Amino acid sequence: MAMLDPFVALEEPWYTEALRKVRTRERALEKTARRCGTADAVAARILEHASEWTELRFDELLLPTREAANEALLCARDDGISAADLAARAVLPLLARRSRHDALPVAAASLLDGALPDQPFGPVALGEQWAVLWLRERRRPSLEDGATRAAASAELLDEALERAKQGLVREVGAL
């Protein structure tokens, strides 16, 4: 209780006004969050990020050298050897990957952009190894996907809060 003694000396209007400001800011934040979560705003943001939020599912065979990756690519293309058979012959795991376009290394993302499903492509340098990749599925972001809607809404809210923080609010009102 002794901790609260400094507040006893304060007059009632001080804390009443402080609480009123907090509640006004909470309401403004809720209003902004609702505005940033509308279907139109979210759909527009998803459309803006259509390429970088595209989810890619692909298989990856990592090989120790570029020459080995080139050989694996030739075997897959010319001889029709499947990804699983190539991995078995090389005694290496065939890795099933799923990633958003913007989370991939630029070289791999660029190749996946133009890849045909189930066709091998590469080699792609990934760190100190070389990869041959097979695109399995390309899924564009959708308004029906809850995670995508949440990401778009959160990004819109972050931008609105950043504008407010920098004094660049576009409309007059408390926030």
Side-chain angles (χ1 to χ4, degrees):
M1 288 299 268
M3 295 179 353
L4 299 177
D5 286 341
F7 293 107
V8 173
L10 298 174
E11 297 178 23
E12 180 180 330
W14 175 85
Y15 61 81
T16 302
E17 184 59 29
L19 291 174
R20 188 174 294 123
K21 283 181 184 177
V22 167
R23 184 63 191 136
T24 299
R25 289 178 179 157
E26 283 177 344
R27 281 192 213 114
L29 178 60
E30 289 167 1
K31 179 183 173 188
T32 303
R34 279 192 307 275
R35 190 177 63 238
C36 292
T38 65
D40 289 343
V42 169
R45 182 52 53 107
I46 289 172
L47 184 60
E48 286 175 29
H49 289 296
S51 65
E52 62 258 27
W53 286 2
T54 294
E55 186 177 290
L56 302 163
R57 190 174 58 82
F58 58 97
D59 290 337
E60 175 182 270
L61 178 60
L62 289 173
L63 296 145
T65 65
R66 183 180 182 104
E67 292 77 19
N70 280 330
E71 183 65 27
L73 188 59
L74 284 173
C75 289
R77 285 185 180 159
D78 295 347
D79 300 334
I81 299 173
S82 72
D85 285 344
L86 278 172
R89 288 180 186 189
V91 193
L92 294 169
L94 181 64
L95 306 169
R97 301 278 191 208
R98 181 179 293 253
S99 182
R100 268 186 16 183
H101 186 275
D102 59 355
L104 291 169
V106 174
S110 297
L111 285 174
L112 284 166
D113 279 341
L116 296 173
D118 300 320
Q119 297 297 311
F121 65 95
V124 180
L126 296 177
E128 295 182 17
Q129 294 184 307
W130 292 85
V132 177
L133 307 171
W134 288 262
L135 177 66
R136 299 304 183 198
E137 180 184 15
R138 183 183 292 119
R139 191 171 351 148
R140 296 286 182 196
S142 168
L143 190 58
E144 284 74 41
D145 179 32
T148 302
R149 275 195 323 271
S153 182
E155 186 174 282
L156 289 165
L157 182 59
D158 286 347
E159 288 174 3
L161 294 175
E162 188 61 31
R163 282 192 307 273
K165 183 175 118 182
Q166 294 176 2
L168 302 175
V169 176
R170 294 183 182 163
E171 64 181 65
V172 178
L175 179 61

